[in-house]
Amino acid sequence: KQEVTQIPAALSVPEGENLVLNCSFTDSAIYNLQWFRQDPGKGLTSLLLIQSSQREQTSGRLNASLDKSSGRSTLYIAASQPGDSATYLCAVGHFNKFYFGSGTKLNVKP
Amino acid sequence: GAGVSQSPSNKVTEKGKDVELRCDPISGHTALYWYRQSLGQGLEFLIYFQGNSAPDKSGLPSDRFSAERTGGSVSTLTIQRTQQEDSAVYLCASSLGGGRQPQHFGDGTRLSIL
């Protein structure tokens, strides 16, 4: 069974810092990997989707990388802002299912 | 509507009662997922519908849980004889199909069992 782990569980940084969130998975036979953010009391908002044949995806200040062979993905957030404060989850698509990590709770201090 | 719609947004009920949670997916999305998110936890897969195929029920935690999807669109998740451990946020997602397409989530139903 696919296991997805996210480290750290929580992170607090001052505004303006660049930061990296980590996601690891145990089975490299994945279709894709998706990063989401979740605001309190809300559902998940998709940030980036990396197909298994891709190495990275970029959207604005966000960059996600994928290394299938090592079972790792990173989400890089440049010039963090207080509005980036949320929980970030990664999910790997495997056949018809998605397996989620427990998330990293990010707090960006003004 | 433009996104996935779930109702009710909050549900409080007494232990032992049955509850129904509704999900209205994005129009044209053939795949529909139900997940459960307990406090401070990741998402736990419950059930997956794809078109007219038999649903993948492998994530349902007990026979008190069931789900149906009528006409390939709206889905209802039913929990019978609710227990306190059923308290969680139940999230629905839809996609164009399969594990290669991005999922779009509703805001969830927060279920509290007294």
Side-chain angles (χ1 to χ4, degrees), chain A residues 6-21:
Chain A
Q6 290 188 248
I7 295 173
L11 182 62
S12 184
V13 300
E15 181 177 5
E17 270 204 9
N18 303 324
L19 58 100
V20 174
L21 307 181

Side-chain angles (χ1 to χ4, degrees), chain B residues 35-44 85-90:
Chain B
Y35 296 91
R36 179 169 69 176
Q37 186 175 33
S38 301
L39 188 63
Q41 302 295 314
L43 273 68
E44 174 189 6
E85 60 263 28
D86 299 334
S87 296
V89 176
Y90 290 81

Side-chain angles (χ1 to χ4, degrees), chain A:
Chain A
K1 180 188 172 185
Q2 180 75 267
E3 300 285 344
V4 182
T5 304
Q6 290 188 248
I7 295 173
L11 182 62
S12 184
V13 300
E15 181 177 5
E17 270 204 9
N18 303 324
L19 58 100
V20 174
L21 307 181
N22 297 292
C23 173
S24 61
F25 46 95
T26 55
D27 188 342
S28 62
I30 65 171
Y31 285 176
N32 57 41
L33 187 143
Q34 195 167 4
W35 282 94
F36 296 88
R37 71 174 278 167
Q38 186 175 30
D39 295 288
K42 295 293 186 180
L44 280 66
T45 300
S46 179
L47 298 173
L48 291 165
L49 171 70
I50 310 176
Q51 299 293 350
S52 61
S53 59
Q54 297 175 319
R55 294 299 299 265
E56 66 177 331
Q57 281 285 339
T58 298
S59 176
R61 294 182 294 109
L62 305 179
N63 176 277
S65 67
L66 174 63
D67 184 342
K68 275 201 324 176
S69 61
S70 66
R72 294 181 182 178
S73 176
T74 60
L75 179 66
Y76 175 83
I77 303 177
S80 57
Q81 303 171 358
D84 295 330
S85 297
T87 297
Y88 290 79
L89 296 101
C90 69
V92 296
H94 190 71
F95 293 101
N96 294 318
K97 293 184 182 179
F98 287 82
Y99 297 86
F100 284 79
S102 297
T104 294
K105 187 172 184 179
L106 174 65
N107 179 36
V108 181
K109 298 173 288 186

Side-chain angles (χ1 to χ4, degrees), chain B residues 4-32:
Chain B
V4 177
S5 178
Q6 291 189 247
S7 61
S9 55
N10 286 283
K11 178 71 176 180
V12 181
T13 192
E14 294 179 347
K15 176 182 172 182
K17 301 286 189 182
D18 297 351
V19 294
E20 283 190 355
L21 312 179
R22 176 188 169 104
C23 173
D24 200 342
I26 293 173
S27 179
H29 281 193
T30 59
L32 187 147

